[in-house]
Amino acid sequence: VTGAQVAAAVIGAAEAGYRHFDCASVYGNEPLIGASFRHLLRHGLRREELWVNSKVWNDRHDDVVAACKQSLHDLQLDHLDAYFVHWPFPNYHPPGCSVDSRSPDARPYIHEAFMRTWRQMEQLVDLGLVRHLGTSNVTIPKLRLILRDARIKPALNEMELHPHFQQPELFRFVVDHHIAPIGYSPVDSPARPDRDRTPGDTVDIEDPVIVRIAARHGLHPATLCVKWAAQRGQIPIPFSTNPRNYTANLRALTTAPLSADEMQAISGIDR
């Protein structure tokens, strides 16, 4: 998918009713998305109607303020609604590298180093550049330490969440600590390249439980996964540049909810 296609989808999705847009510098398309935001804001959409995220990438953990200002410049915005630490450790992999590549400079999670990054994140709030801070791809032990030591606590946590990967312990911990769970890959990644596949992989949208419940509601299995995610209490962020798909995902949230039995059946297919 090209950056131009993503930029066009931002406009189309906003016109369909979407208001939450999840960006990141590492995606390489923020300047193009910025042009889309400018178009939308010039044609009647108000900034306060949008919720825009971005994230600091692994190679900018020591330069967070400048990284955020670059994203703001590229997105043509004066503030972000939420800014995330994309990964909790500063391990950088160059574009196009093999999935098996290992950086000689790779480091494990070091809490003191992460908190130096988080102090810079807090500065963004103090400067009025960011409204809320978020963590991403963290575990419960890491979150416990961050919550203990942060002056400004994370308000959101991005995590992989879909029917075959529900992460119930992490999900419950986040909710119990008043952190909003944002679920990326809400239909998993059935189209991911072969290099990222393993023999034990499963496909959520082919699961008999998902297929059966989707048919009952007249939905595509992928759309059902998004509906389940929202009803469970997480914020799903499905990625699509296809107007038919992103419109169907949004429309499904307005139809009759899944029954308690259906929600229970889906909870039972967690792998």
Side-chain angles (χ1 to χ4, degrees):
V1 176
T2 68
Q5 288 174 306
V6 173
V10 167
I11 294 175
E15 291 173 344
Y18 282 87
R19 295 294 181 265
H20 181 181
F21 295 94
D22 186 67
C23 307
S25 61
V26 74
Y27 301 157
N29 53 22
E30 288 190 334
L32 293 167
I33 291 175
S36 295
F37 287 152
R38 184 180 70 239
H39 169 87
L40 292 166
L41 294 172
R42 285 180 174 176
H43 288 80
L45 198 64
R46 299 190 305 275
R47 174 63 183 92
E48 57 268 27
E49 295 180 88
L50 293 174
W51 181 285
V52 181
N53 302 334
S54 189
K55 309 176 191 72
V56 62
W57 187 236
N58 304 352
D59 58 346
R60 304 295 296 276
H61 278 205
D62 295 325
D63 196 21
V64 173
V65 174
C68 181
K69 287 182 176 180
Q70 183 64 55
S71 283
L72 286 170
H73 175 270
D74 290 342
L75 293 169
Q76 303 190 39
L77 301 173
D78 61 5
H79 73 278
L80 292 168
D81 297 283
Y83 197 57
F84 295 77
V85 180
H86 207 144
W87 286 90
F89 28 75
N91 296 337
Y92 176 70
H93 300 284
C97 68
S98 164
V99 71
D100 299 319
S101 67
R102 295 292 180 269
S103 169
D105 300 319
R107 286 175 283 164
Y109 179 81
I110 301 172
H111 183 63
E112 292 74 14
F114 181 88
M115 289 310 300
R116 287 194 294 271
T117 299
W118 195 258
R119 298 301 176 218
Q120 298 171 72
M121 298 283 286
E122 293 171 330
Q123 186 181 355
L124 295 173
V125 178
D126 296 337
L127 292 170
L129 300 177
V130 169
R131 295 176 59 212
H132 304 281
L133 302 181
T135 48
S136 179
N137 300 302
V138 294
T139 58
I140 291 175
K142 293 181 180 68
L143 264 179
R144 287 190 190 279
L145 292 172
I146 295 165
L147 288 168
R148 183 194 69 187
D149 295 340
R151 175 172 63 89
I152 300 176
K153 312 296 185 188
L156 311 101
N157 183 64
E158 281 205 12
M159 49 202 284
E160 182 179 353
L161 291 171
H162 47 87
H164 281 182
F165 193 63
Q166 299 181 28
Q167 301 207 71
E169 294 84 6
L170 178 56
F171 178 84
R172 179 46 50 193
F173 181 89
V174 165
V175 171
D176 286 348
H177 287 80
H178 310 291
I179 301 171
I182 299 180
Y184 67 78
S185 299
V187 297
D188 195 8
S189 302
R192 64 187 177 277
D194 289 340
R195 69 170 194 172
D196 295 338
R197 297 177 184 271
T198 64
D201 282 351
T202 59
V203 180
D204 300 51
I205 60 175
E206 296 176 358
D207 189 291
V209 171
I210 296 295
V211 172
R212 182 174 65 252
I213 296 174
R216 187 180 301 148
H217 286 262
L219 299 173
H220 188 281
T223 303
L224 178 77
C225 291
V226 175
K227 184 177 181 68
W228 164 81
Q231 190 167 330
R232 186 192 188 206
Q234 62 218 41
I235 302 167
I237 46 173
F239 173 75
S240 177
T241 58
N242 185 316
R244 180 190 62 193
N245 293 344
Y246 60 66
T247 301
N249 287 338
L250 194 60
R251 185 182 299 116
L253 302 185
T254 68
T255 60
L258 304 180
S259 69
D261 287 345
E262 290 169 334
M263 292 296 291
Q264 184 63 36
I266 296 175
S267 72
I269 63 173
D270 183 27
R271 304 298 176 91

